[in-house]
């Protein structure tokens, strides 16, 4: 089912329906004590978006529950095998709840995990990164938000990917190029639209002169065009040139992205985070995320102020991601 085929299109509806095709994927939820998580889990299971697997020290009525004490020995073995450490070291390590949860996930107990409503997100991501092999020059993880602006003529029927709005504070040109690629894949494979990626700046096609902040974006564009030739990407450009056709034609007539952008890549975390929250609040937009790219199995974050609907939507994206990377 494509976005275009849906009447009264809503991003949440599209993602949930897509996730149902892969039922029954198993998604870990460690924050069983949060009422929002329990309410979301009821919806998720009722709509057959995924199977919800709680991790707790007691049985959670109505849901499959992994009891921590019952699996501790196996989790210690998993950590020991991955990190090549002694069992004694492993037992000490998994006393950290983040390491315990990631070990559980890496051991095949579920297809993905959704957390962050109460647990520190960075602790989980740090644990996940410590348990996978990283390669020099390759971005470990990046994040994006899926944005839907009702009635907007821009993007893909008002749908955008904004990146990186949560994880990388001041990305180098190399990392910024990889952020662009990850965000484009989200648009192509999760939202199912062709990505048009705008590398944003306060300058368009050289109009801003020669400054380090602009030069970083220019270098990122050059790297991305060379490495990721299957995506349409351009910059540096101002956001009005990226979105508005007549402005794009006037400021950057040779660009295949100007006036068509649906993936907006911000030069740093300050601008990305400010932008998505402004759009969310001032435009009554739907913001789903942050969605994390680069982890296998996928682990996605929740904001402290997440709603029940937010949790359901992030779960749906996690299910879709788990199918893409298998």
């Amino acid at each position: 089912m494509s976005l275009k085929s849906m009447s009264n299109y809503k991003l949440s509806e599209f993602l949930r329906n897509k996730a149902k095709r892969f039922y029954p994927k198993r998604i870990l939820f460690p924050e069983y004590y949060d009422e929002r998580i329990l309410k979301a889990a009821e919806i998720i299971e009722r709509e057959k978006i995924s199977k919800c697997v709680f991790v707790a020290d007691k049985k959670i009525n109505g849901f499959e529950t992994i009891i921590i004490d019952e699996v501790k020995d196996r989790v210690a073995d998993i950590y020991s095998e991955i990190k090549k450490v002694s069992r004694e070291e492993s037992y000490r390590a998994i006393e950290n709840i983040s390491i315990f949860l990631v070990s559980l996930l890496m051991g095949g107990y579920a297809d993905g995990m959704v957390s962050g409503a109460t647990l520190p997100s960075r602790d989980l991501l740090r644990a996940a990164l410590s348990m996978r092999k990283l390669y020099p020059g390759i971005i470990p993880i990046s994040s994006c938000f899926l944005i839907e602006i009702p009635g907007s003529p821009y993007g893909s029927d008002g749908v955008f990917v904004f990146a990186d709005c949560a994880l990388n504070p001041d990305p180098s040109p190399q990392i910024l190029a990889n952020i662009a690629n990850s965000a484009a894949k989200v648009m192509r494979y999760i939202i199912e639209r062709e990505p048009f990626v705008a590398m944003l700046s306060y300058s368009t096609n050289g109009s801003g002169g020669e400054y380090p902040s602009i030069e970083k974006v220019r270098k990122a564009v050059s790297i991305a065009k060379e490495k990721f030739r299957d995506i349409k990407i351009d910059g540096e450009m101002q956001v009005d040139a990226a979105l508005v056709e007549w402005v794009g034609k006037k400021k950057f007539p040779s660009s295949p992205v100007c006036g068509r952008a649906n993936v907006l890549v911000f030069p740093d975390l300050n601008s990305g985070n400010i932008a998505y929250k402004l759009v969310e609040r001032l435009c009554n937009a739907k913001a789903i995320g942050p969605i994390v790219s680069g982890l296998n199995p996928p682990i996605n974050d929740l904001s402290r102020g997440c709603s029940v609907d937010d949790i359901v939507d992030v779960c749906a994206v996690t299910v879709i991601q788990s199918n893409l990377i298998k």
Side-chain angles (χ1 to χ4, degrees), residues 55-197:
V55 183
D57 53 9
K58 60 182 180 181
K59 172 67 179 174
I60 307 302
N61 290 334
F63 297 100
E64 181 181 348
T65 310
I66 296 173
I67 307 297
I68 292 172
D69 285 343
E70 292 179 1
V71 298
K72 189 168 285 188
D73 289 346
R74 176 58 189 141
V75 171
D77 287 341
I78 294 166
Y79 184 83
S80 180
E81 290 166 11
I82 292 172
K83 298 294 288 183
K84 310 301 181 189
V85 299
S86 68
R87 281 181 62 83
E88 182 179 351
E89 291 176 280
S90 183
Y91 275 109
R92 285 199 299 268
I94 66 171
E95 288 300 314
N96 179 305
I97 186 60
S98 295
I99 292 175
F100 181 93
L101 290 168
V102 173
S103 300
L104 196 66
L105 187 61
M106 299 287 279
Y109 281 83
D111 299 294
M113 177 161 56
V114 173
S115 183
T118 60
L119 293 173
S121 304
R122 289 197 175 271
D123 289 352
L124 271 176
L125 296 176
R126 192 178 296 115
L129 288 174
S130 75
M131 295 176 70
R132 60 173 286 226
K133 187 173 183 179
L134 303 180
Y135 298 89
I138 303 298
I139 184 172
I141 54 173
S142 63
S143 75
C144 66
F145 277 84
L146 314 185
I147 304 290
E148 179 185 26
I149 306 172
S152 172
Y154 306 118
S156 291
D157 299 329
V159 175
F160 296 88
V161 174
F162 283 22
D164 181 334
C165 304
L167 290 179
N168 293 283
D170 187 17
S172 66
Q174 292 79 10
I175 290 179
L176 197 58
N178 279 281
I179 288 170
N181 180 52
S182 295
K185 287 181 176 178
V186 169
M187 177 59 75
R188 176 172 286 161
Y189 297 115
I190 293 180
I191 301 179
E192 298 182 6
R193 287 292 184 93
E194 185 66 20
F196 292 86
V197 183

Side-chain angles (χ1 to χ4, degrees), residues 20-33:
K20 291 174 187 178
R21 303 207 305 257
F22 312 120
Y23 185 83
K25 292 285 188 177
R26 294 161 54 81
I27 304 300
L28 286 183
F29 286 89
E31 296 159 310
Y32 63 91
Y33 42 80

